[in-house]
Amino acid sequence: MMNSLQDWPEPIVRVQSLSESGLPMIPDRYVKPLSDRPSSNRPENGDANIPIIDLTGLTDDETELSRSTMDRISSACRDWGFFQVVNHGVSPGLMDQARETWRSFFHLPMEIKQAYANSPKTYEGYGSRLGIEKGAILDWSDYYYLHYLPLTLKDYNKWPRSPDYCREVIDEYGKELVKLGGRIMKVLSINLGLNESHLQNAFGGENIGACVRVNFYPKCPQPDLTLGLSSHSDPGGLTILLPDPEVPGLQVRKDDRWITVKPARHAFIVNIGDQIQVGILAFH
């Protein structure tokens, strides 16, 4: 078992390398079953989009959102499990800097990135697959995964040193996202009729866990046969996603249809994870 945790079952091939090689067809190991492939025959969702909610008035110290805004967040959680937030308190400049910093990392020479290659032991670092099942059908993406909190799991040796100021940007971005997550959980707690710190405390209070995952989706010669990321739900409490306007394609499931998310400018996409969803169901 220990060996299986230390090593991948097959040699790792970077999807970016496959993409840049100019191959006309994707390898079989990336071809999804028919039922899981994207389809151009599905009904268009037109102007359908996950709710966009203005968080003006929500700070670390006070909750000054209107009752209507609180209700919109409650409805979005109940009906979608997703919503976008604008005027959320995170600097647009920092958001752009974080996105461009990671874009620059993925375009570094392969030998530099390989120095941060991950293993299934912790998944921290530069990766191209999840799971150790031999012969598994893989996603068409590479990624980087880091533990940010609690501090006992924070290992700067796993953090890239390039491009310049990469670590400083990751640290500042992580700090701001943890604060935003706390503000959102405060609203969720109030909407449930609980003490405003209830959910934060349930997830560890000052020792709350937080991680960073960055997905990179290289150009694909046969996008109709594969997916950048297979359909899934997020197992944690809350996911705050910074989308890339140059890489559309995120979809959420509602009423047995896949709805393509249309990101608002400098918005975050918030996903209620399994743990909060189960907790809310249990509470009700």
Side-chain angles (χ1 to χ4, degrees):
M1 175 62 76
M2 183 55 68
N3 286 338
S4 68
L5 290 175
Q6 294 284 355
D7 303 308
W8 298 107
E10 298 135 336
I12 292 296
V13 178
R14 302 303 179 190
V15 176
Q16 186 177 6
S17 295
L18 292 174
S19 174
E20 293 176 352
S21 72
L23 79 174
M25 300 172 62
I26 64 175
D28 288 346
R29 66 189 313 183
Y30 297 96
V31 177
K32 299 293 182 180
L34 276 170
S35 59
D36 295 340
R37 294 180 193 173
S39 173
S40 59
N41 296 323
R42 291 174 182 163
E44 292 294 325
N45 54 52
D47 294 329
N49 197 15
I50 61 175
I52 301 175
I53 300 175
D54 191 328
L55 294 187
T56 299
L58 182 64
T59 67
D60 293 335
D61 302 319
E62 297 182 34
T63 303
E64 295 184 356
L65 298 179
S66 67
R67 185 65 256 172
S68 63
T69 301
M70 299 282 283
D71 288 344
R72 288 193 67 211
I73 293 173
S74 180
S75 295
C77 293
R78 185 171 58 250
D79 298 338
W80 288 84
F82 284 83
F83 54 95
Q84 297 188 64
V85 292
V86 295
N87 296 320
H88 38 65
V90 181
S91 160
L94 178 60
M95 296 170 71
D96 292 341
Q97 189 177 26
R99 188 190 300 108
E100 293 309 312
T101 295
W102 281 112
R103 196 195 308 276
S104 296
F105 170 82
F106 281 105
H107 284 96
L108 288 171
M110 185 58 68
E111 61 269 21
I112 295 178
K113 293 181 290 193
Q114 280 294 104
Y116 301 99
N118 70 354
S119 79
K121 183 178 181 181
T122 67
Y123 287 97
E124 276 202 280
Y126 177 49
S128 296
R129 69 173 291 162
L130 293 170
I132 56 172
E133 178 186 350
K134 193 170 183 179
I137 301 298
L138 304 178
D139 291 335
W140 189 264
S141 61
D142 298 325
Y143 67 88
Y144 209 105
Y145 180 81
L146 290 171
H147 290 296
Y148 188 78
L149 289 177
L151 292 176
T152 53
L153 294 179
K154 195 173 188 178
D155 182 2
Y156 281 113
N157 292 322
K158 301 288 187 180
W159 293 39
R161 292 183 178 275
S162 299
D164 290 344
Y165 307 110
C166 183
R167 292 183 173 184
E168 291 86 348
V169 172
I170 297 169
D171 226 353
E172 179 66 17
Y173 179 79
K175 181 176 69 176
E176 291 300 313
L177 267 290
V178 168
K179 291 196 301 187
L180 175 58
R183 294 195 289 268
I184 293 171
M185 285 198 287
K186 180 195 299 186
V187 172
L188 300 183
S189 295
I190 294 172
N191 274 342
L192 288 169
L194 303 171
N195 180 283
E196 67 177 29
S197 60
H198 183 93
L199 285 175
Q200 178 82 21
N201 290 337
F203 282 98
E206 295 298 319
N207 292 314
I208 197 168
C211 62
V212 177
R213 174 167 169 154
V214 185
N215 294 329
F216 182 77
Y217 304 107
K219 186 176 180 179
C220 180
Q222 293 178 293
D224 55 323
L225 299 183
T226 190
L227 290 171
L229 192 59
S230 298
S231 58
H232 65 281
S233 61
D234 287 353
L238 202 65
T239 298
I240 303 176
L241 173 66
L242 173 61
D244 186 339
E246 296 182 18
V247 188
L250 173 68
Q251 294 183 319
V252 302
R253 188 79 169 168
K254 179 172 168 48
D255 299 331
D256 294 325
R257 287 197 306 155
W258 287 104
I259 307 295
T260 301
V261 175
K262 303 169 183 65
R265 181 171 171 78
H266 288 129
F268 285 109
I269 298 169
V270 179
N271 177 9
I272 303 302
D274 294 343
Q275 292 184 41
I276 286 185
Q277 181 182 7
V278 170
I280 289 174
L281 290 173
F283 178 79
H284 283 297

